[in-house]
Amino acid sequence: MAELALLRQVHGTVVVAPAVPSGAAGGRPEGDAWAGRPEPGRLLGILTADCLPVVLVHPPSGRLAVIHAGWRGAVGGVAEAALAALGVPAGEVLAALGPAIGPCCYQVGEEVAAAVGARSPHLSPWPGAPGHCAFDLPGALRERLLTAGVRTQHIDPLAPCTHCDADRFYSHRRAAEPQRLVAFAGWRPGGRP
Ligand SMILES: [Zn+2]
């Protein structure tokens, strides 16, 4: 029987170790990423609806990271923090980017553009909306992983747009739906590590 552990997400950069009690014993620990080697059968999960879920795996050690990255977390360095917490060579890490709002739909204002950096290649003018930009959150996160040493061929950049695909995904911006997507990773009971 698998157990799903979740976090109390705050758009920060705190990384939580899988050994921290959760569920009935300790509630949800506050943080925006898991990193470490979970016991088999313990699933490390995060919730999203437009924010970007990222899963990192280091096959040689069985260490995993599951990351919740909105623009604040991405700019703040939550992915780098999770990578560092894994404590393994970045060049050996496999990464997958899950469904998130894409640059096709993610209109941001000056606050976000200023935080991201006006010269970021992941910002582009939003047609007909002066002062607003389209932000490529998955693209920005992918670049941060590359800069941190993750190899291009080790990143699955699929990241379909949650806002475009109402049949498959929830989107906070499309309908302010209370539902969330769950991204999780773990090892099967009786399996690795
Ligand atoms: Zn879209």
Side-chain angles (χ1 to χ4, degrees), residues 20-185:
V20 171
S22 63
R28 295 184 186 182
E30 185 172 301
D32 287 275
W34 296 101
R37 192 172 62 181
E39 294 295 314
R42 182 169 165 82
L43 304 177
L44 308 178
I46 54 100
L47 303 176
T48 62
D50 292 342
C51 284
L52 177 66
V54 181
V55 174
L56 306 179
V57 183
H58 182 247
S61 68
R63 289 172 174 258
L64 309 169
V66 185
I67 303 162
H68 160 248
W71 71 265
R72 287 180 197 279
V75 169
V78 68
E80 292 92 330
L83 199 53
L86 282 180
V88 300
E92 297 175 1
V93 169
L94 310 180
L97 310 189
I101 192 164
C104 43
C105 298
Y106 194 9
Q107 186 188 86
V108 299
E110 290 171 357
E111 181 196 15
V112 178
V116 170
R119 295 162 72 172
S120 167
H122 306 292
L123 287 173
S124 52
W126 193 278
H132 288 76
C133 290
F135 178 43
D136 182 359
L137 174 61
L141 205 291
R142 179 176 174 278
E143 183 184 317
R144 282 176 166 263
L145 290 175
L146 290 171
T147 301
V150 181
R151 297 168 187 236
T152 306
Q153 66 269 34
H154 287 174
I155 301 177
D156 183 342
L158 198 59
C161 179
T162 46
H163 195 270
C164 284
D165 192 341
D167 289 338
R168 289 199 294 165
F169 305 124
Y170 297 121
S171 167
H172 177 68
R173 280 167 191 77
R174 186 176 56 234
E177 298 154 331
Q179 296 93 340
R180 294 289 179 268
L181 301 164
V182 186
F184 60 86

